[in-house]
Amino acid sequence: MALAALVLVCLASIAIGAKGLPIADVWHGLFHYAGSGDDVLVRKVRIPRTVLGLIVGAALGLAGAVMQALTRNPLAEPGLLGVNAGASAAVVSAISFFGVTSLTGYVWFAFAGAAIVSVAVYLLGGSRSANPVRLALAGTAVTAALYGYVNAVQLLDSAALDRLRFWTVGSLASANMETVGKVWPFMALGVLLTLLIARPLNALEMGDDTARSLGAHLTRTRILAMLAVTLLCGAATAACGPIVFIGLMIPHLVRAITGPDMRWILPYAAVLSPVLLLGADVVGRIVARPSELQVGIVTALLGGPVFIHLVRRKRMSQL
């Protein structure tokens, strides 16, 4: 069922856009490319956009599931460790101080920023003595400081503000296969790491003492989990900007289907997260025709009520 939903939303992403195309023209662009305007739109714009949405959605969903297991916090999402803030700060610096102007140029700066901040948060959280609460507090503090820096640079540099308008809200609109080619190796490595640590994460969710008694290596598991989140969320943020709430919503939906076993949560999250991301992208292209609403705005509008619901449910369960 999840795979069928993914196939349907991929087809919708290719067939539906800000410009309406008959199904025959979409089919022609897919299988009988002749270089016409509509063929180029399908082959060079919508297909790369769909492919990027697939890998970014999977990365964000996996990163969210790992974050919630790592911090034992059901309200956690990838930005909790400052990954989004680190990527944003690096991109702002690249534009304002180094004159980088291309999206593919942002990728390396954003990924480096995400990696540096993840290491900093781990060290501030206590390194080997790190625990979920200290990591979350360190991530929150670093995030606040970095977003203050981002806002300051944008206010002082109007050029940076203009170039970052769409990137900072999260968008698939500038997708191309060159960007896909730059980020997919990092995402593939992140996916491999998450699958390797699925069993230790199961133990970690039951508490440190229980995890130790089950033979889990806590420090190694946390380091690998943070590395996986950095690879997944850093590469996704570099390619599309910070897209929020995907990593929060999907793991909750998946747990209702699979239960608490991370060995099932991770594959389902990798499939269902692109469904949500691409579905939100299609909605954004339809509701504002002939323009479009950026996917980061749509996911924020969807995720806000979900986040409030989760907070209220958590409070009620504690009464």
Side-chain angles (χ1 to χ4, degrees), residues 95-169:
I95 292 173
S96 186
F97 303 125
F98 299 102
V100 178
T101 58
S102 67
L103 182 64
T104 52
Y106 299 162
V107 170
W108 303 107
F109 282 92
F111 185 76
I116 292 170
V117 168
S118 294
V119 172
V121 167
Y122 180 69
L123 294 175
L124 290 172
S127 187
R128 291 182 178 275
S129 61
N131 59 54
V133 174
R134 294 178 70 175
L135 286 174
L137 289 174
T140 301
V142 170
T143 296
L146 287 177
Y147 275 131
Y149 166 77
V150 169
N151 291 332
V153 172
Q154 287 180 317
L155 288 173
L156 293 172
D157 189 343
S158 59
L161 178 60
D162 290 339
R163 292 171 189 154
L164 280 166
R165 279 184 304 161
F166 293 109
W167 188 87
T168 52
V169 298

Side-chain angles (χ1 to χ4, degrees), residues 154-273:
Q154 287 180 317
L155 288 173
L156 293 172
D157 189 343
S158 59
L161 178 60
D162 290 339
R163 292 171 189 154
L164 280 166
R165 279 184 304 161
F166 293 109
W167 188 87
T168 52
V169 298
S171 174
L172 296 173
S174 299
N176 57 62
M177 294 309 295
E178 185 179 1
T179 301
V180 172
K182 286 185 178 295
V183 300
W184 81 262
F186 299 110
M187 293 183 181
L189 181 57
V191 170
L192 179 61
L193 282 176
T194 59
L195 297 178
L196 289 175
I197 62 174
R199 190 183 295 273
L201 284 175
N202 276 336
L204 198 63
E205 281 195 296
M206 293 185 284
D208 289 2
D209 293 337
T210 303
R212 287 192 190 93
S213 67
L214 293 173
H217 193 296
L218 299 186
T219 300
R220 182 174 60 197
T221 300
R222 288 188 175 122
I223 291 174
L224 291 177
M226 291 185 66
L227 179 59
V229 170
T230 300
L231 289 167
L232 293 169
C233 194
T237 303
C240 302
I243 298 176
V244 297
F245 288 123
I246 297 287
L248 173 68
M249 292 187 284
I250 291 300
H252 283 278
L253 173 63
V254 169
R255 285 190 190 92
I257 300 171
T258 67
D261 192 340
M262 292 295 292
R263 292 172 296 179
W264 286 102
I265 289 174
L266 293 174
Y268 268 84
V271 173
L272 290 178
S273 295

